[in-house]
């Protein structure tokens, strides 16, 4: 009987605030204003205080921003 080896986990892509702002084409101040208003994508605060956004959370947030034509 052979032991099943699990597939290696792919690291989850985490974006910096700068990367998110570049992708959305908004100013850093706008992103932080959205965070303060509770309208930004879900963020992660690292122990050093830096903010990261998971790619999946950004994509889900963008999907939620869609409006019907």
């Amino acid at each position: 009987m052979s032991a099943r080896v699990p597939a290696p986990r792919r690291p989850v892509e985490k974006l910096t605030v700068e990367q998110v702002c570049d992708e959305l084409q908004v100013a850093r101040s706008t992103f932080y204003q959205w965070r303060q208003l509770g309208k930004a994508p879900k963020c992660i605060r690292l122990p050093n205080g830096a903010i990261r956004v998971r790619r999946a959370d950004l994509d889900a947030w963008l999907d939620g921003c869609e409006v019907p034509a």
Side-chain angles (χ1 to χ4, degrees):
M1 186 176 218
S2 63
R4 196 168 165 196
V5 178
R9 288 185 62 182
R10 215 173 102 201
V12 175
E13 183 181 10
K14 293 174 202 69
L15 305 169
T16 64
V17 171
E18 182 179 358
Q19 290 171 316
V20 172
C21 291
D22 285 347
E23 185 169 327
L24 298 176
Q25 297 180 343
V26 298
R28 188 179 196 93
S29 59
T30 299
F31 177 81
Y32 283 109
Q33 185 178 34
W34 290 347
R35 283 196 73 216
Q36 190 173 28
L37 296 172
K39 296 184 177 195
K42 190 172 162 184
C43 298
I44 303 166
R45 182 177 297 280
L46 300 177
N48 67 357
I51 301 292
R52 296 290 184 271
V53 178
R54 288 182 188 96
R55 165 56 65 189
D57 290 335
L58 178 60
D59 291 343
W61 179 81
L62 286 170
D63 288 344
C65 290
E66 288 183 8
V67 294

